[in-house]
């Protein structure tokens, strides 16, 4: 990530803290260069997953809210 992406990440995190906080419960944050979006991965270390990651574009647009994988 470059400076612009890091600034966008800080802005997205501030927006999440002020709103419904789709980033809550995140174990890892990745940057998807192709989608120009942050992926808030909720899988625990070792690969255990109950939720899809939330994906938020650098402009704050929610691409995928994430959510339960099983029966949710």
């Amino acid at each position: 990530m470059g400076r612009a992406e890091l600034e966008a990440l800080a802005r997205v995190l501030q927006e999440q803290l002020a709103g419904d906080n789709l980033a809550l419960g995140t174990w890892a944050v990745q940057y998807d260069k192709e989608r120009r979006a942050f992926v808030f991965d909720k899988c625990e270390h070792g690969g255990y997953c109950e939720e899809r990651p939330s994906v938020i574009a650098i402009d704050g647009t929610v691409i995928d809210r994430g959510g339960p994988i099983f029966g949710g």
Side-chain angles (χ1 to χ4, degrees), residues 5-33:
E5 290 83 10
L6 288 173
E7 289 172 348
L9 176 58
R11 189 176 54 255
V12 165
L13 290 174
Q14 288 296 327
E15 291 169 359
Q16 288 301 303
L17 288 171
D20 60 5
N21 205 348
L22 300 176
L24 190 65
T26 297
W27 284 81
V29 179
Q30 298 173 331
Y31 180 66
D32 183 327
K33 188 175 180 179

Side-chain angles (χ1 to χ4, degrees), residues 40-63:
F40 295 92
D41 191 354
K42 298 176 182 176
C43 296
E44 294 185 30
H45 299 292
Y48 177 74
C49 287
E50 287 188 8
E51 292 191 41
R52 291 187 333 272
S54 298
V55 182
I56 303 173
I58 62 171
D59 67 0
T61 303
V62 176
I63 295 171

